[in-house]
Amino acid sequence: MNTLATLAFSAAAATVSFAALPSDASAQSTMAYPEKCKSEGMMMDKSKDDMSSGGMQVGEVTDYQKASMDGMKDMNMNMMQGMMKKDADVSFVCGMIAHHMGAISMSEVELKYGDNEEAKQMARRIIEAQKKEIEEMSKWVDKEVK
């Protein structure tokens, strides 16, 4: 099975897994993505298999946006692979390791391209915290998975 087909299957399986969760288990039921974080004029095309933009229809892409999207592609692929583990605990921890690696990647992009010192300080704290948690989770996986 080619990588794109495997990725599509993994995404579909992960979607089915999350859809089966009770509504009270979802952060979406208690938290909303801030409107100010949404981009105007950007359309998401879920049917498009363009991994370079995640299926987004966008105009000119900045170096910052390209670096961010590259990090997201890596995170999504690894997170979906982790979420496909048969053991729920291992699946959760492997998915979270990839998710935390994505947070580090996003933070590194902020440090490289960002101008706001407060945002850069948040990025530094995120990197520090996520590295500690990745180490803890990686040790757990090494111990639990035979």
Side-chain angles (χ1 to χ4, degrees), residues 27-52:
Q28 295 292 334
S29 65
T30 59
M31 301 172 72
Y33 191 65
E35 284 296 320
K36 290 184 178 183
C37 290
K38 295 178 183 177
S39 295
E40 291 181 31
M42 181 166 41
M43 298 174 51
M44 295 296 290
D45 182 357
K46 294 179 182 179
S47 66
K48 186 173 169 95
D49 288 329
D50 180 4
M51 294 306 293
S52 66

Side-chain angles (χ1 to χ4, degrees), residues 101-112:
M101 292 170 80
I104 291 171
S105 174
M106 291 172 65
S107 297
E108 289 171 340
V109 171
E110 165 59 24
L111 293 175
K112 181 175 181 179

Side-chain angles (χ1 to χ4, degrees), residues 49-113:
D49 288 329
D50 180 4
M51 294 306 293
S52 66
S53 65
M56 292 182 289
Q57 300 296 313
V58 294
E60 198 74 22
V61 177
T62 67
D63 289 342
Y64 164 78
Q65 291 167 323
K66 182 176 179 342
S68 293
M69 286 189 279
D70 287 345
M72 292 300 290
K73 282 190 303 186
D74 292 341
M75 179 199 69
N76 285 336
M77 186 179 319
N78 289 333
M79 192 164 49
M80 284 189 264
Q81 285 179 355
M83 297 304 295
M84 294 307 294
K85 297 291 186 185
K86 299 263 186 231
D87 180 286
D89 299 319
V90 174
S91 177
F92 165 73
V93 173
C94 289
M96 288 305 296
I97 290 170
H99 181 72
H100 283 31
M101 292 170 80
I104 291 171
S105 174
M106 291 172 65
S107 297
E108 289 171 340
V109 171
E110 165 59 24
L111 293 175
K112 181 175 181 179
Y113 293 99

Side-chain angles (χ1 to χ4, degrees), residues 16-30:
V16 169
S17 298
F18 291 125
L21 289 174
S23 62
D24 62 344
S26 170
Q28 295 292 334
S29 65
T30 59

